[in-house]
Coordinates of all heavy atoms in Angstrom, one line a residue:
M236 N 108.4 98.1 108.1 CA 108.3 98.3 106.7 C 107.7 97.1 105.9 O 107.0 97.3 104.9 CB 109.7 98.6 106.1 CG 109.7 99.3 104.8 SD 108.9 100.8 104.8 CE 109.3 101.4 103.3
Q237 N 108.0 95.9 106.4 CA 107.5 94.7 105.8 C 106.0 94.7 106.0 O 105.3 94.2 105.1 CB 108.2 93.5 106.4 CG 107.7 92.2 105.7 CD 108.5 91.0 106.2 OE1 109.2 91.1 107.1 NE2 108.2 89.9 105.6
L238 N 105.5 95.2 107.1 CA 104.1 95.2 107.3 C 103.3 96.0 106.2 O 102.3 95.6 105.7 CB 103.7 95.7 108.7 CG 102.2 95.9 109.0 CD1 101.5 94.5 109.0 CD2 102.0 96.6 110.3
L239 N 103.9 97.2 105.9 CA 103.3 98.0 104.9 C 103.3 97.3 103.5 O 102.4 97.4 102.7 CB 104.0 99.4 104.8 CG 103.8 100.2 106.1 CD1 104.6 101.5 105.9 CD2 102.3 100.5 106.3
S240 N 104.4 96.7 103.2 CA 104.6 95.9 102.0 C 103.5 94.8 101.9 O 102.9 94.6 100.8 CB 105.9 95.4 101.8 OG 106.9 96.4 101.7
T241 N 103.3 94.1 103.0 CA 102.3 93.0 103.0 C 101.0 93.6 102.9 O 100.1 93.0 102.1 CB 102.5 92.2 104.3 OG1 103.8 91.8 104.4 CG2 101.5 91.1 104.4
L242 N 100.6 94.6 103.5 CA 99.3 95.2 103.4 C 99.1 95.8 102.0 O 98.0 95.6 101.4 CB 99.1 96.4 104.4 CG 99.0 95.9 105.9 CD1 99.0 97.2 106.8 CD2 97.8 95.1 106.1
D243 N 100.1 96.4 101.4 CA 100.0 96.9 100.0 C 99.7 95.8 99.1 O 98.8 95.8 98.2 CB 101.3 97.6 99.6 CG 101.2 98.1 98.2 OD1 100.3 98.9 97.8 OD2 102.1 97.6 97.4
L244 N 100.4 94.7 99.2 CA 100.3 93.5 98.3 C 98.8 92.9 98.5 O 98.2 92.6 97.5 CB 101.3 92.4 98.6 CG 101.2 91.1 97.8 CD1 101.3 91.5 96.3 CD2 102.2 90.2 98.3
A245 N 98.4 92.8 99.7 CA 97.0 92.2 100.0 C 96.0 93.2 99.4 O 95.0 92.7 98.7 CB 96.8 92.1 101.5
F246 N 96.2 94.5 99.5 CA 95.2 95.4 99.0 C 95.2 95.3 97.4 O 94.1 95.3 96.8 CB 95.5 96.8 99.4 CG 94.6 97.8 98.8 CD1 93.3 98.0 99.2 CD2 95.0 98.7 97.8 CE1 92.4 98.9 98.7 CE2 94.2 99.6 97.3 CZ 92.9 99.7 97.7
R247 N 96.3 95.3 96.8 CA 96.4 95.2 95.3 C 95.8 93.9 94.8 O 95.2 93.9 93.7 CB 97.8 95.4 94.8 CG 98.2 96.9 95.1 CD 99.6 97.3 94.5 NE 100.7 96.4 94.9 CZ 101.4 95.6 94.1 NH1 101.1 95.5 92.9 NH2 102.4 94.9 94.7
R248 N 96.0 92.8 95.5 CA 95.4 91.5 95.1 C 93.9 91.6 95.3 O 93.2 91.0 94.4 CB 96.0 90.4 95.9 CG 97.4 90.0 95.5 CD 98.0 88.9 96.3 NE 99.3 88.5 95.7 CZ 100.2 87.7 96.2 NH1 99.9 87.1 97.4 NH2 101.3 87.4 95.6
W249 N 93.4 92.2 96.4 CA 92.0 92.3 96.6 C 91.4 93.1 95.4 O 90.3 92.8 94.9 CB 91.8 92.9 97.9 CG 90.3 93.2 98.2 CD1 89.4 92.4 98.5 CD2 89.8 94.6 98.3 NE1 88.2 93.0 98.7 CE2 88.4 94.4 98.6 CE3 90.3 95.8 98.1 CZ2 87.5 95.4 98.7 CZ3 89.4 96.9 98.2 CH2 88.1 96.7 98.6
Q250 N 92.1 94.2 95.1 CA 91.6 95.0 93.9 C 91.5 94.2 92.6 O 90.5 94.3 91.9 CB 92.5 96.2 93.7 CG 92.3 97.4 94.6 CD 93.2 98.5 94.3 OE1 94.4 98.4 94.0 NE2 92.6 99.7 94.2
R251 N 92.6 93.5 92.3 CA 92.6 92.7 91.1 C 91.5 91.6 91.1 O 90.8 91.5 90.1 CB 94.0 92.0 90.9 CG 94.1 91.1 89.7 CD 94.0 91.9 88.4 NE 94.9 93.0 88.3 CZ 96.2 92.9 87.9 NH1 96.7 91.8 87.5 NH2 96.9 94.0 87.9
Y252 N 91.3 91.0 92.3 CA 90.2 90.0 92.4 C 88.9 90.7 92.0 O 88.1 90.1 91.2 CB 90.2 89.5 93.8 CG 89.0 88.6 94.0 CD1 89.1 87.2 93.7 CD2 87.8 89.0 94.6 CE1 88.0 86.3 93.9 CE2 86.7 88.2 94.8 CZ 86.9 86.8 94.4 OH 85.8 86.0 94.6
G253 N 88.6 91.8 92.5 CA 87.3 92.5 92.3 C 87.2 93.0 90.8 O 86.2 92.8 90.2
E254 N 88.3 93.5 90.3 CA 88.3 93.9 88.9 C 87.9 92.7 88.0 O 87.1 92.9 87.1 CB 89.6 94.5 88.5 CG 90.0 95.8 89.1 CD 91.4 96.2 88.9 OE1 92.2 95.4 88.3 OE2 91.9 97.3 89.3
V255 N 88.6 91.6 88.1 CA 88.4 90.5 87.2 C 87.0 89.9 87.5 O 86.3 89.6 86.5 CB 89.5 89.4 87.5 CG1 89.1 88.1 86.8 CG2 90.8 89.9 87.1
R256 N 86.6 89.8 88.7 CA 85.2 89.3 88.9 C 84.1 90.2 88.3 O 83.2 89.7 87.7 CB 85.0 89.1 90.4 CG 83.8 88.3 90.7 CD 83.8 87.9 92.2 NE 82.5 87.2 92.4 CZ 82.3 86.4 93.4 NH1 83.2 86.2 94.2 NH2 81.2 85.8 93.5
R257 N 84.3 91.5 88.5 CA 83.3 92.4 88.0 C 83.3 92.3 86.4 O 82.2 92.4 85.8 CB 83.6 93.8 88.4 CG 83.0 94.2 89.7 CD 83.1 95.7 90.0 NE 84.5 96.1 90.0 CZ 85.3 96.0 91.1 NH1 84.9 95.4 92.2 NH2 86.5 96.5 91.0
E258 N 84.5 92.3 85.8 CA 84.6 92.3 84.4 C 83.9 91.0 83.8 O 83.1 91.0 82.9 CB 86.0 92.3 83.9 CG 86.3 92.1 82.5 CD 85.9 93.2 81.6 OE1 85.8 94.3 82.1 OE2 85.6 93.0 80.4
L259 N 84.3 89.8 84.4 CA 83.7 88.6 83.9 C 82.2 88.5 84.1 O 81.5 87.9 83.4 CB 84.4 87.4 84.5 CG 85.8 87.2 84.1 CD1 86.5 86.0 84.8 CD2 85.9 87.0 82.6
A260 N 81.7 89.2 85.2 CA 80.3 89.1 85.5 C 79.5 89.9 84.5 O 78.3 89.7 84.4 CB 80.0 89.7 86.9
T261 N 80.1 90.8 83.7 CA 79.4 91.5 82.8 C 79.1 90.7 81.5 O 78.2 91.1 80.7 CB 80.1 92.8 82.3 OG1 81.3 92.4 81.7 CG2 80.4 93.7 83.5
Y262 N 79.8 89.6 81.3 CA 79.6 88.8 80.1 C 78.4 87.9 80.2 O 78.0 87.5 81.3 CB 80.8 87.9 79.8 CG 82.1 88.7 79.5 CD1 83.2 88.6 80.3 CD2 82.1 89.4 78.4 CE1 84.3 89.2 79.9 CE2 83.3 90.2 78.0 CZ 84.4 90.1 78.8 OH 85.5 90.8 78.5
T263 N 77.7 87.7 79.0 CA 76.6 86.8 79.0 C 77.0 85.3 79.1 O 78.2 85.1 78.9 CB 75.8 87.0 77.7 OG1 76.6 86.6 76.6 CG2 75.3 88.4 77.5
E264 N 76.1 84.4 79.3 CA 76.4 83.0 79.3 C 77.1 82.6 78.0 O 78.0 81.8 78.0 CB 75.2 82.2 79.6 CG 74.5 82.4 81.0 CD 75.4 82.0 82.1 OE1 76.2 81.1 82.0 OE2 75.3 82.7 83.1
R265 N 76.6 83.1 76.9 CA 77.1 82.8 75.6 C 78.5 83.3 75.4 O 79.4 82.5 74.9 CB 76.2 83.4 74.5 CG 76.7 83.4 73.1 CD 76.5 82.0 72.6 NE 77.1 81.9 71.3 CZ 76.4 81.8 70.1 NH1 75.1 81.9 70.2 NH2 77.1 81.7 69.0
E266 N 78.8 84.5 75.9 CA 80.2 85.0 75.8 C 81.1 84.2 76.6 O 82.3 83.9 76.2 CB 80.2 86.5 76.2 CG 79.5 87.4 75.2 CD 79.3 88.8 75.6 OE1 79.0 89.0 76.9 OE2 79.4 89.7 74.8
L267 N 80.7 83.9 77.8 CA 81.5 83.0 78.7 C 81.8 81.7 78.0 O 82.9 81.2 78.0 CB 80.9 82.9 80.1 CG 80.9 84.1 80.9 CD1 80.0 83.9 82.2 CD2 82.3 84.5 81.4
A268 N 80.8 81.1 77.5 CA 80.9 79.8 76.8 C 81.9 79.9 75.6 O 82.6 79.0 75.4 CB 79.6 79.2 76.4
D269 N 81.8 81.0 74.9 CA 82.7 81.2 73.8 C 84.2 81.2 74.3 O 85.1 80.8 73.5 CB 82.4 82.5 73.0 CG 81.2 82.4 72.2 OD1 80.6 81.2 72.0 OD2 80.7 83.4 71.7
M270 N 84.4 81.6 75.5 CA 85.7 81.7 76.0 C 86.1 80.4 76.7 O 87.2 80.2 77.3 CB 85.8 82.8 77.0 CG 85.8 84.2 76.4 SD 86.1 85.5 77.5 CE 84.5 85.7 78.3
G271 N 85.1 79.5 76.8 CA 85.4 78.2 77.4 C 85.2 78.2 78.9 O 85.8 77.4 79.7
L272 N 84.4 79.2 79.4 CA 84.2 79.4 80.8 C 82.7 79.2 81.2 O 81.8 79.4 80.3 CB 84.6 80.8 81.2 CG 86.0 81.2 80.9 CD1 86.3 82.7 81.2 CD2 87.0 80.4 81.6
S273 N 82.5 79.0 82.4 CA 81.1 79.0 83.0 C 81.1 80.0 84.1 O 82.1 80.3 84.7 CB 80.7 77.6 83.4 OG 81.4 77.3 84.6
R274 N 79.9 80.5 84.4 CA 79.8 81.5 85.5 C 80.3 81.0 86.8 O 80.8 81.7 87.6 CB 78.3 81.9 85.6 CG 78.1 83.2 86.3 CD 76.8 83.9 86.1 NE 76.6 84.3 84.7 CZ 77.2 85.4 84.1 NH1 78.0 86.1 84.8 NH2 76.9 85.6 82.8
S275 N 80.2 79.7 87.1 CA 80.7 79.2 88.3 C 82.2 79.2 88.5 O 82.7 79.1 89.6 CB 80.2 77.7 88.5 OG 80.8 76.9 87.5
E276 N 82.9 79.4 87.4 CA 84.4 79.5 87.4 C 84.9 80.8 87.7 O 86.1 81.0 87.9 CB 84.9 79.0 86.1 CG 84.7 77.5 85.8 CD 85.1 77.1 84.4 OE1 84.6 77.6 83.4 OE2 86.1 76.4 84.3
I277 N 84.0 81.9 87.6 CA 84.5 83.3 87.8 C 85.3 83.5 89.1 O 86.4 84.1 89.1 CB 83.3 84.2 87.6 CG1 82.8 84.2 86.2 CG2 83.7 85.7 88.1 CD1 81.6 85.1 85.9
P278 N 84.8 83.0 90.3 CA 85.6 83.3 91.5 C 87.0 82.6 91.4 O 87.9 83.3 91.9 CB 84.7 82.7 92.6 CG 83.3 82.7 92.0 CD 83.5 82.5 90.6
Q279 N 87.1 81.5 90.9 CA 88.4 80.8 90.8 C 89.3 81.5 89.9 O 90.5 81.7 90.2 CB 88.2 79.3 90.4 CG 89.6 78.6 90.2 CD 90.3 78.5 91.5 OE1 89.8 78.4 92.6 NE2 91.6 78.6 91.4
I280 N 88.8 82.0 88.7 CA 89.6 82.8 87.8 C 90.1 84.1 88.4 O 91.2 84.5 88.3 CB 88.8 83.0 86.5 CG1 88.6 81.7 85.8 CG2 89.5 84.0 85.6 CD1 87.6 81.7 84.7
A281 N 89.2 84.7 89.2 CA 89.6 86.0 89.8 C 90.6 85.7 90.9 O 91.6 86.5 91.1 CB 88.3 86.6 90.5
R282 N 90.5 84.6 91.6 CA 91.6 84.3 92.6 C 92.9 84.0 91.9 O 94.0 84.5 92.4 CB 91.2 83.0 93.5 CG 90.1 83.3 94.5 CD 90.0 82.2 95.5 NE 89.4 81.0 94.8 CZ 88.1 80.8 94.7 NH1 87.2 81.7 95.2 NH2 87.6 79.7 94.1
E283 N 92.9 83.3 90.8 CA 94.1 83.1 90.1 C 94.7 84.4 89.6 O 96.0 84.6 89.6 CB 93.9 82.1 89.0 CG 93.6 80.7 89.4 CD 93.1 79.8 88.3 OE1 93.2 80.2 87.1 OE2 92.7 78.6 88.6
A284 N 93.9 85.3 89.1 CA 94.4 86.6 88.6 C 95.0 87.4 89.8 O 96.1 88.0 89.6 CB 93.3 87.4 88.0
A285 N 94.4 87.3 90.9 CA 94.9 88.1 92.1 C 96.2 87.5 92.6 O 97.1 88.2 93.0 CB 93.9 88.0 93.2
A286 N 96.4 86.2 92.4 CA 97.6 85.5 92.9 C 98.8 85.9 92.0 O 99.9 85.8 92.4 CB 97.5 84.0 92.9
L287 N 98.5 86.4 90.8 CA 99.6 86.8 89.9 C 100.2 88.2 90.2 O 101.2 88.6 89.7 CB 99.1 86.8 88.4 CG 98.7 85.5 87.9 CD1 98.1 85.6 86.5 CD2 99.9 84.6 87.8
V288 N 99.5 89.0 91.1 CA 100.0 90.3 91.5 C 101.2 90.1 92.4 O 101.2 89.3 93.3 CB 98.9 91.1 92.3 CG1 99.5 92.4 92.8 CG2 97.7 91.3 91.4
R289 N 102.3 90.7 92.0 CA 103.5 90.6 92.7 C 103.8 91.8 93.6 O 103.3 92.9 93.3 CB 104.7 90.5 91.6 CG 104.6 89.3 90.7 CD 105.0 88.0 91.4 NE 104.9 87.0 90.5 CZ 104.1 85.9 90.7 NH1 103.4 85.8 91.8 NH2 104.1 84.9 89.8
P290 N 104.6 91.6 94.6 CA 105.0 92.7 95.4 C 105.7 93.8 94.6 O 106.3 93.5 93.6 CB 106.1 92.1 96.4 CG 105.8 90.7 96.4 CD 105.3 90.4 95.1
A291 N 105.5 95.1 95.0 CA 106.0 96.2 94.2 C 107.5 96.1 94.0 O 108.1 96.6 93.0 CB 105.7 97.5 94.9
D292 N 108.3 95.5 95.0 CA 109.7 95.5 94.9 C 110.2 94.2 94.3 O 111.4 94.0 94.2 CB 110.4 95.7 96.2 CG 109.9 94.7 97.2 OD1 109.0 93.9 96.9 OD2 110.4 94.7 98.4
A293 N 109.3 93.3 93.8 CA 109.7 92.0 93.2 C 110.1 92.2 91.7 O 109.8 93.2 91.1 CB 108.6 91.1 93.3
A294 N 110.8 91.2 91.2 CA 111.2 91.2 89.8 C 109.9 91.2 89.0 O 108.8 90.7 89.5 CB 112.0 90.0 89.5
P295 N 109.9 91.7 87.8 CA 108.7 91.7 86.9 C 108.2 90.2 86.7 O 109.0 89.3 86.6 CB 109.2 92.3 85.6 CG 110.5 92.9 85.8 CD 111.0 92.3 87.1
A296 N 106.9 90.1 86.7 CA 106.2 88.8 86.4 C 106.5 88.4 85.0 O 106.7 89.2 84.1 CB 104.8 88.9 86.7
P297 N 106.6 87.1 84.8 CA 106.8 86.6 83.4 C 105.6 87.0 82.6 O 104.5 87.2 83.0 CB 106.9 85.1 83.6 CG 106.3 84.8 84.9 CD 106.5 86.0 85.7
A298 N 105.8 87.1 81.3 CA 104.8 87.5 80.3 C 103.7 86.5 80.3 O 103.9 85.3 80.4 CB 105.3 87.7 78.9
P299 N 102.4 86.9 80.2 CA 101.3 85.9 80.2 C 101.4 85.0 78.9 O 102.1 85.4 77.9 CB 100.1 86.7 80.2 CG 100.5 88.1 79.8 CD 101.9 88.2 80.2
R300 N 100.8 83.9 79.0 CA 100.9 82.9 77.9 C 99.9 83.3 76.8 O 99.9 82.6 75.8 CB 100.6 81.5 78.3 CG 101.7 81.0 79.3 CD 101.4 79.6 79.8 NE 100.3 79.8 80.8 CZ 99.5 78.9 81.2 NH1 99.6 77.7 80.6 NH2 98.6 79.1 82.1
F301 N 99.1 84.3 77.0 CA 98.2 84.7 75.9 C 98.3 86.3 75.8 O 98.7 86.9 76.7 CB 96.8 84.3 76.4 CG 96.4 84.9 77.8 CD1 95.9 86.1 77.9 CD2 96.7 84.1 78.9 CE1 95.5 86.6 79.2 CE2 96.3 84.6 80.2 CZ 95.8 85.8 80.3
A302 N 97.9 86.7 74.7 CA 97.9 88.1 74.4 C 96.5 88.7 74.6 O 95.6 88.1 74.3 CB 98.4 88.4 73.0
K303 N 96.5 89.9 75.0 CA 95.3 90.7 75.2 C 94.8 91.1 73.8 O 95.6 91.7 73.0 CB 95.5 91.9 76.1 CG 94.1 92.6 76.4 CD 94.3 93.6 77.4 CE 93.1 94.2 77.8 NZ 93.1 95.2 78.9
I304 N 93.6 90.8 73.5 CA 93.1 91.2 72.1 C 92.2 92.4 72.2 O 91.3 92.4 73.0 CB 92.4 90.0 71.5 CG1 93.3 88.8 71.4 CG2 91.8 90.3 70.1 CD1 92.7 87.5 71.0
A305 N 92.5 93.3 71.4 CA 91.7 94.5 71.3 C 90.5 94.3 70.3 O 90.8 93.9 69.2 CB 92.4 95.8 71.0
H306 N 89.3 94.5 70.7 CA 88.2 94.4 69.8 C 87.9 95.8 69.2 O 87.8 96.8 69.9 CB 87.0 93.9 70.5 CG 87.2 92.5 71.1 ND1 87.1 91.4 70.3 CD2 87.6 92.0 72.3 CE1 87.3 90.3 71.0 NE2 87.6 90.7 72.2
T307 N 87.7 95.8 67.9 CA 87.4 97.1 67.3 C 86.0 97.0 66.7 O 85.4 96.0 66.5 CB 88.4 97.4 66.2 OG1 88.4 96.4 65.2 CG2 89.7 97.7 66.8

């Protein structure tokens, strides 16, 4: 059972890595600079986001230090 949990966690982290990397790759250099980022930082940011994925049976992760902002 632990093997399945480990594989599930690895798969969900891999998914998150890809999601974040694809999302950030869509931004222009100007948009990244506005966020204080450079294109070379995208892989590291994606790795950090993936590391935040917790096992399904773990306690909820603490709230992020920033709020997601909806653009209208």
Side-chain angles (χ1 to χ4, degrees):
M236 195 63 169
Q237 186 177 1
L238 174 62
L239 292 177
S240 297
T241 302
L242 289 174
D243 176 61
L244 178 60
F246 178 72
R247 290 186 303 115
R248 285 182 172 168
W249 175 71
Q250 279 184 313
R251 176 65 52 87
Y252 175 84
E254 290 168 358
V255 171
R256 191 165 177 163
R257 276 189 301 278
E258 173 73 22
L259 291 175
T261 64
Y262 293 120
T263 64
E264 297 296 329
R265 171 75 185 256
E266 291 169 323
L267 289 170
D269 287 346
M270 292 184 278
L272 305 174
S273 69
R274 196 157 299 281
S275 65
E276 294 175 293
I277 292 175
Q279 178 61 35
I280 293 167
R282 280 191 295 274
E283 291 172 6
L287 294 175
V288 174
R289 300 282 180 241
D292 58 354
R300 293 177 286 158
F301 54 89
K303 186 173 184 177
I304 300 171
H306 296 279
T307 57

